[in-house]
Amino acid sequence: MNYRVEKILAFLFLLLVLLLTWYLFLIDDFVRTSEERITGVFASLALGFGIFQFWMHELNADRRKLYDQRYESYKDFVLQIEQISESLHIEMIGDEIGSIHNLLSRLINHLNRINTTIAISSDSLFPDLHLKSETKSIVTIVGNILTKTNEFRLKVEKENREGKEVARDFLHSQDRMRWHNEIGELLKELHTSKHDLYRLLRNYF
């Protein structure tokens, strides 16, 4: 149930206790002597406030737990996206070819982790997160990065099969420069879109 709704219900319960206490012990002839009225008022209020405090404590505990879960999920989003950027930047500034297969494998793992987190979080932590344009934008950009990198991997493997000295000529190769430029543009898009996603996630807190 929604936190605000439950909070309203808790206060309505407290109001009901106050009204019943006022009616039963001060208006109605539920008890007759002053001592019984005073005892009844204090007992009723003590019980009512006790239940109200317990209710509010449970609500706040659940809210804190939800906050902690959302924060951990938020940090995981940030970690995966930043690691994608870091992995690509390292490859793009290198003078020699790295392991394109390892890079592709890391990108796939990051994308799978992002998709898994979105799927798990969309039900309770970040309701309807998978439907948000910010989320779709990130998934699309990372997917495009993965596609471009895989296309480049295929070209590298082709050159390897043909016996070319790929490692030596990697920095100056036309294919690498094309991949470099395409990934550079996608990273710019990722940099802009990730902050939109981060703001969206923070709105849930």
Side-chain angles (χ1 to χ4, degrees):
M1 187 181 296
N2 185 276
Y3 173 78
R4 293 182 179 178
V5 174
E6 285 207 49
K7 192 173 182 180
I8 291 173
L9 290 177
F11 277 98
L12 287 176
F13 167 78
L14 181 61
L15 179 61
L16 180 62
V17 169
L18 293 174
L19 291 175
L20 284 175
T21 301
W22 175 73
Y23 178 77
L24 290 176
F25 297 105
L26 300 178
I27 302 299
D28 192 52
D29 293 330
F30 184 69
V31 292
R32 298 186 179 279
T33 66
S34 297
E35 290 79 5
E36 289 177 338
R37 289 179 184 272
I38 294 174
T39 301
V41 167
F42 278 106
S44 178
L45 291 179
L47 178 61
F49 275 105
I51 295 175
F52 173 76
Q53 286 182 328
F54 176 78
W55 195 344
M56 292 302 298
H57 177 270
E58 290 299 308
L59 278 179
N60 290 328
D62 290 341
R63 190 173 177 82
R64 285 192 296 271
K65 181 179 179 181
L66 180 60
Y67 179 91
D68 291 341
Q69 290 174 336
R70 281 177 172 165
Y71 184 64
E72 289 301 317
S73 183
Y74 171 81
K75 288 197 301 182
D76 192 53
F77 272 115
V78 173
L79 176 64
Q80 299 306 317
I81 293 173
E82 295 303 323
Q83 285 184 338
I84 289 173
S85 297
E86 181 181 353
S87 296
L88 289 168
H89 279 302
I90 291 173
E91 290 294 332
M92 291 170 68
I93 64 176
D95 290 338
E96 295 183 354
I97 187 171
S99 174
I100 192 66
H101 297 88
N102 287 342
L103 173 61
L104 191 61
S105 177
R106 291 198 301 273
L107 293 176
I108 292 173
N109 288 335
H110 292 317
L111 180 58
N112 288 340
R113 183 71 175 268
I114 290 173
N115 283 327
T116 300
T117 305
I118 291 172
I120 294 175
S121 303
S122 292
D123 290 332
S124 57
L125 297 182
F126 305 109
D128 297 327
L129 179 63
H130 63 295
L131 301 177
K132 305 296 184 181
S133 59
E134 295 88 344
T135 307
K136 293 179 180 179
S137 177
I138 287 292
V139 173
T140 299
I141 292 170
V142 177
N144 288 338
I145 289 174
L146 190 60
T147 299
K148 295 298 181 182
T149 304
N150 188 53
E151 291 174 354
F152 180 63
R153 174 189 64 82
L154 295 175
K155 292 175 181 178
V156 170
E157 290 179 346
K158 180 181 178 182
E159 293 184 6
N160 275 329
R161 286 195 300 269
E162 294 175 357
K164 296 181 180 180
E165 297 181 358
V166 182
R168 181 181 304 171
D169 300 328
F170 178 62
L171 181 62
H172 307 288
S173 72
Q174 184 178 359
D175 288 334
R176 181 191 188 279
M177 296 308 297
R178 184 181 298 112
W179 174 79
H180 185 284
N181 293 334
E182 290 173 341
I183 295 301
E185 291 300 317
L186 288 170
L187 283 176
K188 291 179 183 178
E189 294 180 25
L190 182 64
H191 180 74
T192 300
S193 296
K194 72 180 182 182
H195 292 294
D196 294 335
L197 177 64
Y198 297 163
R199 279 193 294 270
L200 172 67
L201 294 175
R202 289 195 295 267
N203 288 337
Y204 283 93
F205 284 81

